[in-house]
Amino acid sequence: MGNKIITIGRQYGSGGREIGEKLAKKLGYAFYDTLLLEKTAGHSCISQSILERYDERLADKWLNTALNSGTMGIDQLPIPIRAAVSQFETILKIGQTESAVIVGRCADYVLREQNNVLSVFIHAEMEHRVSRVTARNKVCEAEAKKLIQNTDRHRAAYYEYYTDKRWGDSQSYHLCIDSGLFGIDGAVTVLQNCLQSIPK
Amino acid sequence: MGNKIITIGRQYGSGGREIGEKLAKKLGYAFYDTLLLEKTAGHSCISQSILERYDERLADKWLNTALNSGTMGIDQLPIPIRAAVSQFETILKIGQTESAVIVGRCADYVLREQNNVLSVFIHAEMEHRVSRVTARNKVCEAEAKKLIQNTDRHRAAYYEYYTDKRWGDSQSYHLCIDSGLFGIDGAVTVLQNCLQSIPK
C-alpha cells in the first residue's frame, strides 16, 4: 500500500479542520472533512458485509440481536446508523487507494488495521477555542462556549458509539497536539515533521 | 525566563524515561527522573507557603480543613504528602533556574503557570509495553502486564490526587506521542522538531 492517510479528530474550535486542510495542501493529498464524506458516501448503497463489519460495535444490543437473527433487515436500520456505515465504507475505499487527510467520522478506527495511517487529535484550552469560535461564528462568548460543549459532547458520543476507544484520550491516537500552544501553522509543521520521523 | 523545561508523563513500559534522557542529552539539558527528584528534595524542609500552595489540591477534605483551621501542623502531615510537596518545591526551583527534562511527579502541573514549559505524555499499545518490560525486567508476559497495570494505576491516582487534570488525557498535555509507532529515537526527533515549532 503506497498511499498515506492522516486522520484528524478534533475538539470544536481547536482549528483541527484548518490544520488538516493546510497539511493536505502542503503534502498534495486529498482532503475529506465530514461534510464531503457525507456527500461522497450517499445513503443508499450499504452492503451486508460492511454492516456485518460494524454491527458488533453498535451499542444497542437489541439492534445487534435483531440483525444477527435476521428479524431485522438493513433497510430497517435507523437512518443515522446507515449514514454512518455508508461513510465508513467510503473511508475504507479512500484508505486503500488515495493519499488523503480525513477529518472526523471515526476514520482512525475504520482504518485501524492499515499500517499506512497516522492518527491525530487536535485540542486546545477552552479560552483559545472560545476566541476562535466567537471570531468565526460571530457569536458572544457564552454562546461560543455552549456551542463548543454541545458539539464536543456529540462528537464524543458518536466516536464512543462506533469504536471501542475514548474520544480525546491520548491512547486513542498516535499523536495529540495542543493547537493553542503551537498555533495553526505550527501544528501543520509539527505534523509534516512527524511524518518524516515514522520509521519505515 | 530564558531557561526551557520539558515535562514527561509516561505509561510504564512506554520508554518515556529513555526518551526524556536521550532528549536531555541531545539538547544539553539537565535530566531529572522521579528517583533523582526524591534525592534532591529530601523530606525535611517543607515551607508553609509551599504547603499552602498545594493543600487546596489535596483530595482529603479533612486534611484541608485541619490545615486551614490550624488544628493540624505541617509535621503531622502523612509522610507521602510531605515527600510529594517537597518534590514539587524542587521542581519549582528547577523550573525557574535550569533548562531541564523532568520525568513524572506532576511537573507539568507544578509548572503550569510558566510559559517556558512543553508538557509531553508518552504512551504505547500494551503489546509494545509488555515486550519492553519482559526484556528489561526479565519477567514473563503475565507478570509484565500486571506490573504495567499496577504501576499505571498508581501513577494515575497520584496525578489525579495532586492536580485537577486527568492522567493520560490529551487535554492535560501539549503533546502526546505513541512511542510504539515512532520508536524511541523517532519520538526524540519528534520532540526536538516540536521545540522548533513553538511560536516565540
Side-chain angles (χ1 to χ4, degrees), chain A residues 120-132:
Chain A
V120 178
F121 187 78
I122 307 287
H123 59 91
E125 286 195 8
M126 183 55 92
E127 62 180 82
H128 285 283
R129 290 183 284 149
V130 165
S131 162
R132 193 173 162 83

Side-chain angles (χ1 to χ4, degrees), chain A residues 61-86:
Chain A
K61 292 282 186 298
W62 65 266
L63 193 58
N64 270 323
T65 309
L67 275 168
N68 290 332
S69 65
T71 57
M72 184 187 240
I74 295 163
D75 295 345
Q76 291 165 279
L77 278 177
I79 292 291
I81 295 178
R82 293 182 62 191
V85 169
S86 182

Side-chain angles (χ1 to χ4, degrees), chain A residues 11 118 121 123-124 129 166 168-171 173-178 181-182 186 189-190 193-194 197-199, chain B residues 11 118 121 123-124 129 166 168-171 173-178 181-182 186 189-190 193-194 197-199:
Chain A
Q11 287 184 327
L118 175 72
F121 187 78
H123 59 91
R129 290 183 284 149
R166 212 154 53 76
D169 190 275
S170 65
Q171 276 213 268
Y173 313 89
H174 294 129
L175 198 70
C176 300
I177 302 173
D178 179 350
L181 179 72
F182 291 98
T189 307
V190 165
N193 288 334
C194 282
S197 303
I198 301 171
Chain B
Q11 287 184 326
L118 175 72
F121 187 78
H123 58 91
R129 290 183 283 149
R166 212 155 52 76
D169 190 275
S170 65
Q171 275 214 269
Y173 313 90
H174 295 131
L175 198 70
C176 301
I177 302 173
D178 179 350
L181 178 72
F182 291 98
T189 307
V190 165
N193 289 333
C194 282
S197 303
I198 301 171

Side-chain angles (χ1 to χ4, degrees), chain B residues 75-96:
Chain B
D75 294 346
Q76 291 165 281
L77 277 177
I79 291 292
I81 295 178
R82 295 180 62 191
V85 170
S86 181
Q87 284 174 59
F88 298 158
E89 191 172 19
T90 303
I91 289 167
L92 270 178
K93 280 184 199 152
I94 293 168
Q96 285 161 0

Side-chain angles (χ1 to χ4, degrees), chain B residues 137-148:
Chain B
N137 299 26
K138 314 288 181 212
V139 293
C140 69
E141 283 192 11
E143 277 181 276
K145 200 169 174 182
K146 203 172 161 187
L147 190 57
I148 288 167

